Amino acid sequence: MAEQNSEYGVDPRPTVIADDLHIVYRVNGAKTGKGSATAALSRILKRGEERGVRKVHAVRGVSFVARRGEAIGLIGSNGSGKSTLLRAIAGLLPPEKGKVYTDGQPSLLGVNAALMNDLTGERNVILGGLAMGMSREQVKERYQGIVDFSGINEKGDFITLPMRTYSSGMAARLRFSIAAAKDHDVLMIDEALATGDRKFQKRSEQRIRELRKEAGTVFLVSHNNKSIRDTCNRVLWLERGELRMDGPTEEVLKEYEKFTGK
């Protein structure tokens, strides 16, 4: 378990506890065959529920305790279970075995987080703020700050246009800006910092530091080790669903960089 460091303002009270957590996906239709769908269903029912179902053990026995004021980086190869772990913490995936305990409401921000493409950016800011539990008055107070933080109006009045007209980077920046406008008990960010220019990344990293000062916990999934170094005081390294190392950022990244040869 990572040692807590008062330099980072870490509060000993836990926000997330993962206890021997296992997450298993079940993928139907592992093989294709000829014949009607009715006949295929009949064959599946005859041979039993689990036959013809492929299991993917995405997270394997992961245990850790996260505390208030920590910013925790999640690193690992593609498919190592990082995004799956975040989804389990957010309550979106049921454990196959083990438990996840959270204090407060976890908020998951991913690059594919759904906003409504047919609505304007302005309407999405309002609806996104309300969905996170802000009052209409709070949304109104923070609206301009959200727009300015996202930077999407720097080259035109894009906030009044439908989201479908945005580039993927613009949409991701707006999602992060909406989420960052509120203080969170637990904020989980999945690759969102990889979507903007360096100026936006610096604003995002500063906001993460502010959230930590407010005694929140931030989880950051990123393939950019510099972002991890700049924002996180602790790193969890996952490989093939297993927790390979948990410790101070520099210690874990050095071992990870030896492993990857980068």
Side-chain angles (χ1 to χ4, degrees), residues 28-196:
N28 291 306
K31 295 182 180 179
T32 58
K34 296 181 179 178
S36 70
T38 303
L41 177 60
S42 177
R43 289 196 299 273
I44 290 170
L45 291 174
K46 285 178 182 177
R47 68 181 179 233
E49 182 184 356
E50 289 297 321
R51 294 187 61 186
V53 176
R54 186 163 61 96
K55 292 184 179 181
V56 179
H57 204 152
V59 172
R60 301 170 178 266
V62 169
S63 298
F64 66 87
V65 177
R67 293 179 168 83
R68 296 183 182 279
E70 286 192 304
I72 301 172
L74 269 64
I75 62 173
S77 308
N78 287 334
S80 60
K82 304 182 296 295
S83 296
T84 297
L85 178 59
L86 290 192
R87 288 173 61 81
I89 294 170
L92 300 175
L93 290 174
E96 181 81 3
K97 180 186 173 187
K99 296 284 186 182
V100 176
Y101 304 92
T102 60
D103 182 21
Q105 178 60 48
S107 301
L108 174 61
L109 172 66
V111 292
N112 296 319
L115 293 181
M116 302 185 74
N117 278 334
D118 289 332
L119 296 183
T120 64
E122 181 179 17
R123 291 296 299 164
N124 273 293
V125 169
I126 294 168
L127 292 175
L130 293 173
M132 287 195 306
M134 286 191 274
S135 68
R136 287 189 176 275
E137 290 72 22
Q138 287 173 322
V139 175
K140 187 175 179 181
E141 288 171 5
R142 302 177 193 186
Y143 171 82
Q144 194 58 50
I146 292 170
V147 176
D148 292 345
F149 189 99
S150 71
I152 63 171
N153 265 9
E154 289 176 356
K155 296 182 179 179
D157 193 19
F158 283 98
I159 198 68
T160 62
L161 297 178
M163 285 281 294
R164 65 173 179 271
T165 66
Y166 292 11
S167 68
S168 59
M170 289 169 62
R173 294 201 306 272
L174 186 60
R175 291 186 189 101
F176 180 89
S177 302
I178 295 169
K182 180 178 182 290
D183 292 333
H184 298 267
D185 296 314
V186 180
L187 177 61
M188 295 170 288
I189 305 167
D190 194 350
E191 288 291 6
L193 300 189
T195 60

